Amino acid sequence: METIIADVQSNDSAILNSTRASEFAFAGEEPAEQRSVLGCDIAEANAFSSEYNQPVVPVLAAFGGGRLHQWRRTGSFRLDQAVEENGDALIRSYRDQSSADFADRWCELLFQFGPRVSLHVNDRRIVGYASTPGEAERLVTEFSKKFRIEKDFGGSFQLINTSRFRADDTESVFLEPSATLSDEMLNLHYGGGFAEWHRDFCGDLRNSKYGLSIFAGPPGTGKTSYLRHLAGTLKDSHRFYFLPPSRIGMLSDSAFLDIWSAQRRAHPGHRFVVFLEDAEAALLTRGNDNREQLSAILNLSDRFLGDFLRLQIICTINCTVAEIDSALLRPGRLLCHRVFPLLDHPAASRLAESLNRSLPEVREYSLAEIFAGHPSKDEGRPQVGFAA
C-alpha cells in the first residue's frame, strides 16, 4: 500500500511524503527508517507544463518516491483530436487565445491513463511517464503513431518564447522543402562557386564547437534566405534558433544561460546555431547603447563560455564589416565573414530567366528585386527571408 500525504508548511511549500507500507494505513505509523520522502516546493513546480527534468505536480504526486521513468519525443501533434478521443483521461489542460497567430489553441495537455501512467503533450513534444522505461516508451510510441503530424519539410528553426522565458520553452517553425536549394540554384542565387563555398562552410559548422560568423551585404541580397537553406542542409546535426532584432538584448540576460543549459540536456547530440538577424546595432563599435549586447556576443563566442555553451552564432548585417567592433574579428573567434553582394546584370539575368522573369533595365539587382517581379508562370518558387 502506498500513501501520499501533502503537509502544507508555514512558508506555503508542500512536502509530498511518499511512503510504502504493507500493514499501516498512515505514514505516521510507519517506522521512520522505512519511509521515503520526496520534497516538492509547490511555488516552484509547474501545474501544466513539464520542463526537461521537472515533471508537473500531478506526476510527482502520483509517483512519489517510487519508480519513475520518462520517454520524450519531439514533433507536432493533433491536440484537438487527442482531447476528443481521450477526454476522460485528461486531467490538466491549458488553452490560449492571447496570440493573434494562434486562435484558440491547446497549449499543454496532461493525460492520466492509470495510477502511474501519464502523458504530457504540447505542440512541440510528447513526454510519457511510467513505472518502467518500456512502458513509458510504448505510451509515447502509440500516441505519436496515432496523433503525430507528419510534415514534409526542408528544415526548421526554434523561436524562444521570451514572454514566459522558461528554460525549455521554444516553438518549432518548419520550413518548406523549397527553402533548401540545389547546387545549381545556389550558384544562380549567389554567383558562381557559391555551392562549393557552402559545402566548406557546412564543414566548419560541423567541426567547430563554437564561433561567430558574419554575413554582410545590402538588404535583399539573400542572407536570410541562405540561413533557411542552411537549416535544411544541417537539420540532422544542428538545431537552429532565431532571434529577431528586438530580442537581441536577451543575450545579456542571466536567464539566457538557463535556456541553453536546458536545451543542451534535451538535445545532447546536436550542435546549436543562433541566428541574429539585422544585428549591426549589437555589433558596432561599443558604445553606451550596445555595450551589454556586444559583451554578451563576445563572451558567447569566446573560449571559456564558448566551451560550456557550445553555441555557433551567425549574424546578418546591412553595414560593412569595417564598422564592426574589431574585437569580434579576432582570429579564433570569427569563424566566417561572407559578403552577399548585389548580382551583376548577367548573373541577375540568368536567375530571372530561370524564374521566367525579365529585368527592366541593365544594372545590378538584389534577390528581393528579382523575386518581386511579375512571373509569367510557376508561382511556387521559393520566397526570400524568414517571413516567407
Side-chain angles (χ1 to χ4, degrees):
M1 174 181 180
E2 179 164 298
T3 305
I4 304 294
I5 297 177
D7 180 16
V8 180
Q9 305 297 308
S10 59
N11 63 355
D12 293 331
S13 293
I15 305 300
L16 300 179
N17 297 302
S18 170
T19 70
R20 295 184 181 85
S22 58
E23 56 184 352
F24 299 104
F26 299 96
E29 298 174 353
E30 185 178 9
E33 63 271 13
Q34 297 181 17
R35 297 177 60 188
S36 172
V37 179
L38 173 67
C40 174
D41 188 346
I42 296 297
E44 296 296 328
N46 290 323
F48 295 99
S49 176
S50 60
E51 295 188 7
Y52 176 73
N53 57 354
Q54 184 184 17
V56 290
V57 171
V59 174
L60 290 174
F63 286 85
R67 298 176 185 273
L68 170 59
H69 300 272
Q70 71 171 6
W71 190 273
R72 297 167 60 92
R73 178 174 294 176
T74 58
S76 298
F77 304 91
R78 293 183 290 273
L79 303 188
D80 286 331
Q81 183 181 349
V83 171
E84 181 179 349
E85 297 187 17
N86 299 278
D88 292 342
L90 185 64
I91 64 170
R92 286 286 191 278
S93 69
Y94 166 40
R95 197 161 184 157
D96 184 23
Q97 199 175 10
S98 61
S99 172
D101 296 328
F102 300 97
D104 192 16
R105 62 173 184 143
W106 295 104
C107 299
E108 310 281 351
L109 303 173
L110 180 67
F111 299 98
Q112 188 173 41
F113 297 107
R116 292 192 174 186
V117 181
S118 298
L119 186 142
H120 172 261
V121 61
N122 59 26
D123 58 358
R124 303 178 304 277
R125 66 178 177 273
I126 181 175
V127 186
Y129 301 99
S131 298
T132 66
E135 177 66 9
E137 179 183 4
R138 183 195 63 79
L139 182 67
V140 170
T141 300
E142 291 184 358
F143 188 95
S144 178
K145 189 180 299 183
K146 188 170 186 179
F147 300 110
R148 184 182 177 91
I149 302 173
E150 298 295 341
K151 294 185 176 181
D152 181 19
F153 62 93
S156 66
F157 62 92
Q158 308 297 314
L159 290 176
I160 299 172
N161 190 332
T162 56
S163 61
R164 288 182 287 181
F165 217 56
R166 281 205 313 265
D168 71 337
D169 202 353
T170 64
E171 181 173 340
S172 297
V173 178
F174 294 95
L175 302 171
E176 294 296 327
S178 58
T180 305
L181 305 176
S182 65
D183 285 357
E184 178 185 3
M185 291 304 294
L186 279 177
N187 289 330
L188 280 173
H189 280 68
Y190 300 105
F194 189 89
E196 183 178 357
W197 173 85
H198 163 70
R199 285 191 291 272
D200 291 341
F201 182 56
C202 286
D204 291 339
L205 292 179
R206 291 189 179 101
N207 296 326
S208 301
K209 291 182 179 180
Y210 58 86
L212 175 67
S213 299
I214 299 177
F215 295 164
T221 50
K223 301 182 293 295
T224 302
S225 292
Y226 173 68
L227 295 181
R228 299 172 76 220
H229 169 81
L230 189 66
T233 303
L234 298 177
K235 64 181 180 181
D236 294 331
S237 59
H238 288 63
R239 280 175 65 83
F240 297 88
Y241 299 82
F242 173 68
L243 284 181
S246 61
R247 298 298 187 184
I248 291 179
M250 71 179 291
L251 292 174
S252 58
D253 195 302
S254 59
F256 189 76
L257 300 181
D258 295 334
I259 289 175
W260 300 119
S261 295
Q263 290 291 308
R264 184 64 62 193
R265 292 193 300 271
H267 308 282
H270 288 77
R271 295 193 184 278
F272 289 178
V273 179
V274 181
F275 295 153
L276 302 181
E277 194 174 35
D278 298 332
E280 47 269 271
L283 303 184
L284 294 176
T285 300
R286 69 195 74 187
N288 293 330
D289 56 343
N290 74 332
R291 187 177 303 275
E292 290 186 359
Q293 297 174 15
L294 180 58
S295 296
I297 294 175
L298 289 171
N299 290 333
L300 291 171
S301 59
D302 207 352
R303 185 167 302 171
F304 299 106
L305 196 54
D307 279 331
F308 172 65
L309 293 178
R310 305 191 300 279
L311 291 178
Q312 296 165 342
I313 301 175
I314 301 179
C315 299
T316 69
I317 59 174
N318 296 322
C319 60
T320 65
V321 73
E323 302 173 70
I324 298 301
D325 192 286
S326 59
L328 294 167
L329 309 179
R330 178 176 60 81
R333 170 178 286 127
L334 188 64
L335 184 66
C336 168
H337 167 231
R338 175 82 187 191
V339 176
F340 287 69
L342 298 172
L343 292 179
D344 60 28
H345 187 262
S349 296
R350 287 192 294 271
L351 176 59
E353 183 179 353
S354 73
L355 300 173
N356 298 299
R357 290 170 165 84
S358 60
L359 302 180
E361 55 185 302
V362 177
R363 61 176 177 85
E364 294 182 326
Y365 283 87
S366 69
L367 290 180
E369 290 176 309
I370 297 172
F371 278 94
H374 302 287
S376 59
K377 62 179 181 178
D378 201 358
E379 295 280 355
R381 291 289 187 174
Q383 300 297 305
V384 175
F386 273 114

